Amino acid sequence: MRYMISLRLLEITTKQKSLPESLNSLQFLSLVQCGNIEYLSEVKQGYMGLRMLVIGDCEGLISLFPFLKCLTLLEVLCIDNCEKLDLTKVEDNQEEFTPSIRVLILSRLPQLVAVPQWFKQSTRTLQHMIIRGCPSLTELPEWLPNLASLKLLQIFGCPKLSSLPEGKLFLPSLRFFEIWECPELSRRCQPEMGEDWHKIAHVSTIKIDNEFIKQADN
């Protein structure tokens, strides 16, 4: 692998317990069905240029740190079906992690109780946030209303999520808001009557339980 000096994209499926040597040119990394990797702890120089990281079906994965901390250029993070992954397991100096994530997808993560605080470092850059199939998620972060660039927010299959956080100016750039299979949150977001309706009334397209409540003109 060390001879592939211009490699940009790499997909790894392995039974090894650690990542292989990588390259300075690598920008896209996909880890799929790497069941024996528990910690992404070996920070290799070659991964520091990553802009997109996709992790799926890694049933043994417990933590992304300290590997993730060094990905300062990361723009897209997608994590799916990692049943043991605890995104709150970070080092004490998590404030040093300053990513510029634009797209965040968290899917089928049964350990996810709350969106980790370290995503707060991307409040100025995050544009798309998708959370789905996280049955233990009970709340959205208090800094969510401060995501000034967020254009799309989708939340599916989070039945314990009961409300949107408070905020004087709630997601001013939001253009598309969708929730599905979140019973209490759906009730609170109903037009006019819902307690959280005033937080999303400015959004041009709103879809609740597979029904368009508002739809932008084409």
Side-chain angles (χ1 to χ4, degrees):
M1 185 179 294
R2 62 179 179 273
Y3 300 112
M4 300 178 185
I5 58 176
S6 62
L7 187 66
R8 302 288 182 181
L9 183 153
L10 179 63
E11 180 171 325
I12 298 175
T13 298
T14 181
K15 294 183 179 180
Q16 301 298 317
K17 293 186 177 182
S18 61
L19 294 178
E21 180 182 348
S22 188
L23 313 158
N24 290 330
S25 61
L26 194 64
Q27 295 184 4
F28 175 94
L29 176 63
S30 176
L31 302 176
V32 180
Q33 296 180 350
C34 300
N36 291 330
I37 294 180
E38 295 183 351
Y39 298 91
L40 296 180
S41 56
E42 296 184 20
V43 183
K44 295 179 171 64
Q45 182 72 27
Y47 291 102
M48 291 184 179
L50 283 180
R51 296 185 180 276
M52 180 180 295
L53 176 61
V54 176
I55 302 174
D57 299 317
C58 296
E59 65 269 18
L61 188 62
I62 296 174
S63 176
L64 301 181
F65 284 85
F67 177 79
L68 195 63
K69 176 184 172 183
C70 296
L71 305 183
T72 57
L73 299 179
L74 193 66
E75 297 178 352
V76 179
L77 177 61
C78 177
I79 308 172
D80 176 52
N81 197 27
C82 298
E83 60 184 35
K84 294 182 180 179
L85 182 61
D86 184 354
L87 291 174
T88 63
K89 284 186 177 294
V90 298
E91 298 173 326
D92 293 336
N93 55 348
Q94 62 175 301
E95 295 299 327
E96 296 180 8
F97 178 51
T98 56
S100 298
I101 295 176
R102 294 187 297 107
V103 177
L104 174 64
I105 301 175
L106 303 176
S107 175
R108 296 189 293 175
L109 302 177
Q111 298 295 328
L112 188 69
V113 176
V115 178
Q117 287 294 318
W118 47 268
F119 283 123
K120 185 179 180 179
Q121 307 303 324
S122 295
T123 52
R124 295 184 178 182
T125 59
L126 194 60
Q127 297 180 16
H128 292 183
M129 177 186 285
I130 300 173
I131 303 175
R132 59 192 180 200
C134 298
S136 300
L137 184 67
T138 58
E139 62 180 4
L140 294 172
E142 75 282 354
W143 44 262
L144 182 72
N146 300 327
L147 296 176
S149 300
L150 194 69
K151 295 178 173 59
L152 179 146
L153 177 60
Q154 292 178 306
I155 306 172
F156 304 151
C158 301
K160 292 185 179 180
L161 193 59
S162 59
S163 65
L164 297 175
E166 296 296 331
K168 292 183 179 179
L169 188 61
F170 192 86
L171 302 175
S173 298
L174 195 63
R175 296 292 177 265
F176 188 96
F177 175 79
E178 181 177 7
I179 52 177
W180 184 47
E181 293 185 341
C182 307
E184 180 60 16
L185 184 59
S186 294
R187 185 192 67 78
R188 291 179 62 95
C189 290
Q190 291 300 315
E192 310 303 335
M193 300 180 295
E195 296 93 326
D196 285 340
W197 172 252
H198 68 282
K199 301 174 185 177
I200 59 171
H202 65 286
V203 181
S204 55
T205 300
I206 300 175
K207 194 175 183 181
I208 299 178
D209 293 331
N210 211 31
E211 179 182 352
F212 281 102
I213 304 301
K214 287 179 64 178
Q215 193 166 5
D217 296 332
N218 294 327

